[in-house]
Amino acid sequence: MKTLIVLLVTFVQMLSAFSQKTNIENVPYHHTRLPSNPVPEGVSSFYLVYDLSKVSPKYMQEDYELSLDKITINGLTRSENEGVKIMVFPDTLSVTHYANSSKYNDKMRYNQVVTVNRTLKYKLTMPDADEAFIEDIIDGHKYIKHGEWQTSQSSAESWYINNRSRLIQEYDPEIKTKNINALSARISNAIGHGRIKGSVPIGTIKKFKKYSYPELDRALTNAKGALALHAIEDEYMPIVIKDKLQESLLIWENMLLSKNLKEKNSKVNNEVAALLYQNLLIVYGLMDEYDKVDALYQEIESLISSYHPKSWESYLENWKNYVDYRRKRVLANQR
């Protein structure tokens, strides 16, 4: 999910950078996200095995156990020893520090920079398999810069010695929470069917010089109405919504027929054309119409080669990252 959020933020920033006349709306789009590593047919459960021997003191072991026992995966039920095996190994807590120095009023001053860290290893294994199909490490840490400057390096060191236990006691539970949340999110992203209350960026153009764009406003309104019909339980877009989106797609495609990438004062200039291509790629991507998506990629690449429109190469890279995020999941879930 984090990856998609980053892509979405990048996408909106990119769209907004076209010009002041661009108007981008984050249109609500609720759906069920497909897993990136779907489990085989017939597998409907998971169970956790964890080794907390490197976690101390004992109350932290109990905190980890309680938190791990609360992990849920949408689409799979929890069992005692059946289904996907998830092995979890929190590592020994480590604390690193160094003296930070600076000059102030011709005198040196010192404080301690401390990092409290506890990594968490995990493996996911399919039933009857010996090799893990996912194996990774979560690097949970807390960076602390002590705000009170000391007059010498030795006094800064003394501050660390005197406060080490307090820092561990204060921040280890926070790191545990971050680790478990990250673990839960990664597992859900890999094998779960996450319910997403999200949005997609779809744009229109404000009035520009002598040109107005009421047809783009109409296309946006129509797309919003269509996507509002998408239920959060739906993994794939129903036909009725695809049919309703055709009106918006037709408007964007027809406007591109009059594009003029060489003339910046034309109605469908470089920036307007880029916005239209983005709308088309987003919507065709949501519809899983990847033949259309690939045809648009080729068309855009041809325009880049012929006209060298400003910034389109970087736009195309971002468009592909955004649209293909779902495509990879769709392909992975084809049985």
Side-chain angles (χ1 to χ4, degrees):
M1 180 63 183
K2 184 178 178 180
T3 302
L4 183 58
I5 293 172
V6 172
L7 288 173
L8 180 59
V9 170
T10 302
F11 210 77
V12 172
Q13 290 174 341
M14 179 184 66
L15 290 167
S16 302
F18 286 155
S19 74
Q20 291 183 342
K21 62 181 179 295
T22 302
N23 180 34
I24 307 301
E25 285 201 29
N26 289 319
V27 178
Y29 178 63
H30 301 166
H31 64 288
T32 294
R33 183 201 60 224
L34 294 165
S36 62
N37 299 75
V39 301
E41 287 189 55
V43 176
S44 59
S45 60
F46 74 98
Y47 66 103
L48 268 72
V49 176
Y50 39 82
D51 179 359
L52 305 178
S53 60
K54 293 185 177 181
V55 177
S56 62
K58 186 171 179 56
Y59 75 84
M60 282 304 303
Q61 289 188 8
E62 295 170 352
D63 282 353
Y64 265 93
E65 188 168 356
L66 286 171
S67 297
L68 288 166
D69 286 343
K70 292 178 182 178
I71 288 179
T72 60
I73 303 173
N74 193 38
L76 298 175
T77 58
R78 186 154 184 161
S79 71
E80 291 295 326
N81 56 7
E82 294 182 346
V84 179
K85 182 179 181 181
I86 303 173
M87 293 170 283
V88 184
F89 312 94
D91 207 348
T92 304
L93 187 79
S94 65
V95 184
T96 59
H97 66 101
Y98 67 89
N100 185 33
S101 62
S102 70
K103 202 168 188 178
Y104 182 73
N105 288 338
D106 294 328
K107 294 182 179 180
M108 295 301 295
R109 58 181 186 172
Y110 305 83
N111 69 2
Q112 284 287 329
V113 178
V114 182
T115 301
V116 182
N117 184 81
R118 190 194 296 278
T119 60
L120 184 149
K121 302 176 184 177
Y122 65 97
K123 298 179 181 180
L124 275 68
T125 307
M126 292 294 185
D128 302 321
D130 295 325
E131 297 290 331
F133 69 97
I134 293 178
E135 185 172 354
D136 207 350
I137 297 176
I138 296 170
D139 181 20
H141 65 275
K142 179 69 177 180
Y143 174 81
I144 309 146
K145 183 177 181 180
H146 177 53
E148 183 179 342
W149 290 94
Q150 307 289 330
T151 57
S152 67
Q153 185 167 344
S154 60
S155 60
E157 179 74 19
S158 296
W159 174 89
Y160 167 71
I161 294 171
N162 293 332
N163 286 274
R164 185 180 188 279
S165 296
R166 177 185 63 80
L167 293 173
I168 292 173
Q169 187 173 8
E170 182 175 351
Y171 292 110
D172 195 15
E174 180 180 334
I175 293 169
K176 181 269 302 182
T177 300
K178 290 171 64 176
N179 280 345
I180 298 299
N181 288 344
L183 175 68
S184 179
R186 290 191 189 186
I187 294 173
S188 178
N189 179 67
I191 62 176
H193 296 252
R195 302 288 175 85
I196 307 297
K197 290 186 176 181
S199 63
V200 293
I202 298 178
T204 183
I205 303 292
K206 300 175 185 178
K207 186 173 181 180
F208 172 59
K209 295 187 177 180
K210 62 181 179 181
Y211 302 118
S212 59
Y213 300 84
E215 61 270 66
L216 290 185
D217 293 337
R218 189 168 70 252
L220 174 59
T221 299
N222 179 74
K224 289 167 65 175
L227 295 178
L229 300 175
H230 203 282
I232 197 168
E233 295 83 9
D234 290 334
E235 293 179 341
Y236 299 95
M237 185 176 287
I239 294 295
V240 64
I241 300 177
K242 292 184 178 182
D243 289 344
K244 187 172 177 58
L245 285 169
Q246 292 301 321
E247 179 183 339
S248 299
L249 293 167
L250 187 61
I251 290 172
W252 297 327
E253 288 171 341
N254 284 341
M255 283 198 70
L256 277 172
L257 296 176
S258 60
K259 63 183 176 294
N260 186 342
L261 304 187
K262 290 185 176 181
E263 179 51 62
K264 67 178 181 179
N265 291 321
S266 64
K267 182 173 182 178
V268 185
N269 61 13
N270 168 38
E271 295 175 351
V272 176
L275 178 71
L276 295 171
Y277 278 119
Q278 290 164 29
N279 287 346
L280 288 168
L281 285 169
I282 289 174
V283 173
Y284 276 130
L286 295 178
M287 296 166 64
D288 299 325
E289 298 282 352
Y290 296 113
D291 289 344
K292 297 287 183 65
V293 166
D294 289 336
L296 285 168
Y297 286 163
Q298 292 178 9
E299 184 176 334
I300 294 164
E301 287 169 350
S302 177
L303 291 171
I304 291 173
S305 177
S306 300
Y307 297 99
H308 309 287
K310 184 180 179 181
S311 301
W312 274 33
E313 288 189 14
S314 60
Y315 295 159
L316 180 59
E317 182 181 353
N318 283 310
W319 298 337
K320 287 183 175 181
N321 288 338
Y322 185 86
V323 176
D324 291 350
Y325 177 85
R326 173 173 170 82
R327 188 208 298 244
K328 293 175 182 177
R329 292 172 182 267
V330 169
L331 293 175
N333 284 268
Q334 290 179 350
R335 301 194 185 272

